[in-house]
């Protein structure tokens, strides 16, 4: 993505536009699936993913000015570059938004998440989130065990999760631990 300071909700394509293949995201440790959000309660693929990866906690949140208390403050916090000590798992049930992640050269990559998209960001990866110009997302949040909401704003390179992530980046050559789902 470009380095413009324009509205964070815009696509921020470089000129000329550059698109990143899914394999590149996989090399960075990101896992994704395309699922059926209209039938998520009965979706066997979602059930398989949750069981295989140990996602026992789930909730659903609406991010938009009308439904999220302290919206302006929270959207600014989501857009602060940070990492977590656990995976960040989001499944877009409605709407859309962007996850910005850093590549191995510390350049931003903007990942568009739309209805039906499920994304897993690895623990220790610097990232940020924003809505797109539609200003709405309904997302399922998943966790292994009890949820841990703590963001560690950059720099927090001393955290074990960050060191483990960087070690995996060096060792991984496109390997992926994804669960088969269609």
């Amino acid at each position: 993505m470009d380095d413009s300071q324009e509205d964070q909700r815009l696509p921020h394509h470089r000129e000329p536009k550059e698109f990143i293949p899914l394999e590149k995201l996989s090399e960075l440790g990101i896992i994704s699936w395309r699922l059926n959000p209209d039938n998520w309660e009965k979706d066997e693929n979602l059930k398989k993913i949750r069981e295989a990866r140990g996602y026992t906690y789930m909730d659903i949140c609406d991010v938009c000015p009308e439904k999220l208390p302290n919206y302006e403050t929270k959207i600014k916090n989501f857009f602060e570059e940070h990492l977590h000590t656990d995976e960040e798992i989001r499944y877009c049930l409605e709407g859309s938004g962007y996850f910005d992640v850093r590549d191995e050269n510390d350049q931003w990559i903007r990942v568009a998440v739309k209805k039906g998209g499920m994304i897993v960001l690895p623990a220790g990866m610097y990232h940020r989130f924003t809505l797109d110009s539609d200003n709405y997302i309904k997302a399922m949040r998943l966790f292994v065990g009890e949820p841990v909401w703590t963001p560690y704003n950059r720099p927090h390179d001393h955290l074990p999760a960050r060191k483990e992530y960087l070690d995996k980046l060096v060792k991984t050559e496109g390997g992926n631990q994804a669960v088969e789902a269609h």
Side-chain angles (χ1 to χ4, degrees):
M1 70 183 278
D2 68 20
D3 293 326
S4 165
Q5 297 301 312
E6 264 188 291
D7 185 344
Q8 69 193 40
R9 297 172 305 153
L10 297 175
H12 286 278
H13 287 290
R14 289 183 178 172
E15 287 299 330
K17 290 182 181 178
E18 283 182 61
F19 294 95
I20 306 294
L22 286 176
E23 294 80 35
K24 175 65 176 173
L25 297 179
S26 177
E27 289 171 14
L28 295 173
I30 297 170
I31 303 168
S32 65
W33 295 271
R34 171 82 32 216
L35 300 172
N36 179 3
D38 296 325
N39 191 28
W40 67 264
E41 294 99 334
K42 297 177 183 171
D43 188 342
E44 286 300 314
N45 286 319
L46 177 60
K47 184 179 176 186
K48 275 197 295 188
I49 293 166
R50 288 187 66 182
E51 287 174 0
R53 297 187 60 84
Y55 300 150
T56 54
Y57 177 91
M58 179 272 295
D59 72 5
I60 295 174
C61 66
D62 288 293
V63 179
C64 63
E66 301 78 21
K67 295 186 178 183
L68 184 65
N70 301 313
Y71 170 79
E72 289 298 330
T73 300
K74 288 185 179 172
I75 205 75
K76 284 179 186 166
N77 288 342
F78 297 159
F79 200 63
E80 282 289 319
E81 184 176 4
H82 63 278
L83 62 79
H84 301 282
T85 56
D86 293 311
E87 292 179 332
E88 179 158 328
I89 308 106
R90 298 294 182 266
Y91 177 18
C92 182
L93 301 175
E94 295 176 16
S96 51
Y98 297 117
F99 279 95
D100 297 339
V101 298
R102 295 281 190 177
D103 70 8
E104 68 280 356
N105 297 313
D106 216 31
Q107 298 294 306
W108 284 117
I109 297 173
R110 177 152 274 193
V111 181
V113 179
K114 298 180 179 186
K115 182 177 179 177
M118 183 172 174
I119 189 168
V120 179
L121 304 181
M125 173 184 246
Y126 283 118
H127 65 280
R128 61 190 184 189
F129 174 79
T130 189
L131 293 173
D132 60 18
S133 56
D134 291 337
N135 224 26
Y136 177 71
I137 193 168
K138 180 177 191 170
M140 178 184 294
R141 301 181 294 188
L142 297 154
F143 289 90
V144 175
E146 290 299 311
V148 178
W149 306 105
T150 309
Y152 294 93
N153 289 349
R154 192 170 189 175
H156 266 84
D157 295 338
H158 65 282
L159 290 175
R162 178 65 179 166
K163 292 177 181 176
E164 289 168 19
Y165 172 71
L166 291 174
D167 285 346
K168 285 180 188 172
L169 255 189
V170 170
K171 293 175 186 168
T172 302
E173 306 243 341
N176 191 327
Q177 67 271 29
V179 175
E180 187 66 30
H182 305 283

